[in-house]
Amino acid sequence: MSEINWTRKDLLSLEELDKEEILHIINTARGLRDISNRSIRKAPALRGRVVVLLFFEPSTRTRTSFQLAAERLSADTIELTEKMSATRKGETIIDTAKNIEAMGVDIMIVRHSAPGSSKLIAENVGSSVVNAGDGPHEHPTQALLDIFTMMERLGDDLSGKKIAFIGDISHSRVARSNIFALTKLGAEVHLIGPRTLLPGSLKDYHQNVHLHHHLDKILPELDVINLLRIQMERQGSTNFPSLREYNKLYGIDERRLSMAKPDVLIMHPGPMNRGVEISSAVADGSQSAILEQVSNGLAVRMAVLLLVANAVDPSILAKA
Ligand code: CP
């Protein structure tokens, strides 16, 4: 694993990171996992720093995991949701961010429905900004924890591995961030779904991105299957006849799993729609890494917080 001199104040997208930066985050996360297994699950690295969680869209995993990560590193945390904030009274997101910065906040974790919102904030404040999902654009820490999980299960070298994303690719910030990172790591990315949810332009991004409309043909070749939720909230109307039809063509249940490699890894960023893109038997089965993804997210987010705060202290990193 490579070691680099991290200089970024923000983490906004994986499109802008190079391979060494991605591997550096993963390597740092590996060194931090041990903190969660100690009897006192805390390290002092961010003591005296303040992290604000600015969440303008719902979240269970990302918000909780960032808060836990910050508190495990001894930072103070504040949460501000859309409901609680003065953006409801017409304040712009930039004014909100500048006011928060004026209170001495060091790191802002931002989730917002508008693509580019985190970047806009980062350009207007001196505090560090981490993108926790900007509409359908990117979700960098989700892709990093996905890749961390794949490396734990398949080994560090993902080159040539066939990694699939099935479902609502057109609205998926998770798929986009993964595409940017996985192609840099040499993996083959297979995007599978109905034509209405699979923008043809994605195949032009990289020679290792492949588009498929028929799942069963490519299924036996896949090393990893990432299932994606149909994002009803981002669609004007459904882009396919019915959820039942979608499940029949693209849902992964035990019958379909039996057509895949015996050791294929099943992943899902959550939240899951059980019975639509994934059956309960598969979600809770032995090949599922879904809860491992969530656990790994904590270490990845601790790493990101330390790196953007320029506060990595080698003495708190366990030997990987
Ligand atoms: N994967 C993910 O972003 O989940 P949340 O929406 O619960 O944060």
Side-chain angles (χ1 to χ4, degrees), residues 16-287:
E16 66 187 11
L17 262 53
D18 62 28
K19 178 180 173 179
E20 282 64 40
E21 289 173 302
I22 292 166
L23 291 176
H24 186 63
I25 298 172
I26 303 270
N27 199 27
T28 307
R30 282 196 172 136
L32 292 164
R33 252 187 324 189
D34 175 58
I35 293 172
S36 297
N37 300 325
R38 294 180 192 163
S39 54
I40 297 175
R41 294 181 287 177
K42 271 217 191 276
L46 291 183
R47 192 160 52 200
R49 312 266 187 127
V50 183
V51 175
V52 68
L53 301 143
L54 278 171
F55 275 70
F56 295 97
E57 275 192 334
S59 168
T60 295
R61 283 146 288 268
T62 312
R63 188 178 56 187
T64 313
S65 156
F66 264 117
Q67 181 158 4
L68 260 178
E71 290 179 2
R72 226 150 251 195
L73 295 169
S74 306
D76 297 318
T77 61
I78 307 167
E79 188 187 346
L80 189 63
T81 63
E82 199 265 338
K83 261 190 195 157
M84 295 151 70
S85 90
T87 53
R88 285 219 153 178
K89 301 184 216 166
E91 186 173 66
T92 67
I93 185 91
I94 295 174
D95 280 334
T96 300
K98 282 184 169 174
N99 278 269
I100 288 169
E101 182 184 34
M103 295 176 220
V105 164
D106 300 285
I107 305 174
M108 300 184 195
I109 313 296
V110 181
R111 172 169 287 192
H112 197 283
S113 60
S117 43
S118 303
K119 187 169 193 291
L120 186 68
I121 293 172
E123 286 168 352
N124 282 278
V125 296
S127 313
S128 292
V129 177
V130 178
N131 181 4
D134 59 336
H137 177 230
E138 280 225 39
H139 192 350
T141 58
Q142 177 67 45
L144 288 164
L145 73 87
D146 293 340
I147 290 167
F148 184 106
T149 306
M150 291 176 210
M151 286 180 165
E152 290 291 296
R153 290 287 201 112
L154 307 180
D156 285 355
D157 186 5
L158 295 180
S159 57
K161 298 289 184 201
K162 294 187 177 180
I163 297 169
F165 293 83
I166 303 176
D168 189 355
I169 313 290
S170 59
H171 298 96
S172 178
R173 54 195 177 204
V174 175
R176 283 175 62 82
S177 287
N178 266 289
I179 291 166
F180 295 137
L182 284 167
T183 49
K184 285 168 190 162
L185 299 175
E188 269 185 34
V189 179
H190 294 267
L191 305 176
I192 304 164
R195 281 175 209 281
T196 47
L197 295 178
L198 195 46
S201 57
L202 279 172
K203 75 173 181 330
D204 300 330
Y205 173 69
H206 195 280
Q207 60 185 10
N208 274 350
V209 176
H210 307 274
L211 271 49
H212 310 265
H213 304 299
H214 298 287
L215 168 61
D216 293 345
K217 276 191 200 163
I218 186 73
L219 184 59
E221 296 179 37
L222 302 174
D223 297 298
V224 180
I225 297 174
N226 287 273
L227 283 318
L228 300 173
R229 182 177 65 90
I230 302 294
Q231 300 196 29
M232 295 297 188
E233 73 276 22
R234 297 195 206 281
Q235 300 188 22
S237 60
T238 53
N239 287 313
F240 42 88
S242 68
L243 288 177
R244 199 170 147 185
E245 178 80 2
Y246 178 85
N247 173 258
K248 199 169 140 211
L249 294 175
Y250 298 104
I252 298 284
D253 56 13
E254 283 178 302
R255 182 191 68 80
R256 243 196 197 112
L257 191 60
S258 71
M259 296 159 63
K261 284 185 180 177
D263 57 351
V264 70
L265 193 61
I266 299 294
M267 299 177 59
H268 196 307
M272 289 185 275
N273 284 327
R274 289 173 183 258
V276 180
E277 71 270 13
I278 189 167
S279 72
S280 281
V282 174
D284 304 327
S286 60
Q287 283 163 259

